[in-house]
Amino acid sequence: MREKPNPYEGMSRKERREAALDQVFGKNRKEYMGNIWGWKFTYFGLAFLLLVFAFAAYGVWTGKIDLKKQQFEATPSRHIQQNSLHHQKDTAN
């Protein structure tokens, strides 16, 4: 059986990588394609994040949010109300 010739034979490792990337992505892969959402959307997202951070910082600064008092429970399931029959414990024992 005759083998296909290797198109990358005789190339350096960098040349092989570049040729493979060109084959997959085309010759214009290094060209900047642009932000699909547009720069205005990016700036609105940045403004939103800064606004949320400002509100959180204001809450901590004024004492409305106390970071030392926050309690993180490992098992919050005790607060969940279980109404279905499937979840009720068997008390027949």
Side-chain angles (χ1 to χ4, degrees):
M1 182 173 209
R2 188 175 162 177
E3 293 182 21
K4 291 182 179 180
N6 186 357
Y8 304 114
E9 191 172 331
M11 293 182 174
S12 69
R13 185 175 186 184
K14 184 176 181 180
E15 290 171 337
R16 287 193 310 257
R17 181 177 41 229
E18 291 294 321
L21 287 172
D22 286 343
Q23 185 178 5
V24 172
F25 297 110
K27 294 285 183 187
N28 59 351
R29 69 181 170 83
K30 293 182 181 177
E31 219 176 89
Y32 178 69
M33 299 308 266
N35 185 352
I36 64 168
W37 296 105
W39 288 109
K40 194 180 288 187
F41 185 79
T42 303
Y43 292 135
F44 285 141
L46 176 64
F48 176 74
L49 288 175
L50 291 175
L51 183 69
V52 169
F53 177 74
F55 277 130
Y58 176 76
V60 170
W61 184 58
T62 58
K64 296 179 186 209
I65 300 173
D66 187 11
L67 295 177
K68 294 178 183 175
K69 190 177 177 183
Q70 295 291 326
Q71 295 178 355
F72 300 101
E73 296 181 18
T75 57
S77 62
R78 65 185 175 96
H79 299 290
I80 298 174
Q81 185 178 4
Q82 298 175 349
N83 290 331
S84 75
L85 295 174
H86 178 72
H87 292 292
Q88 290 179 355
K89 293 182 178 179
D90 187 18
T91 58
N93 291 337

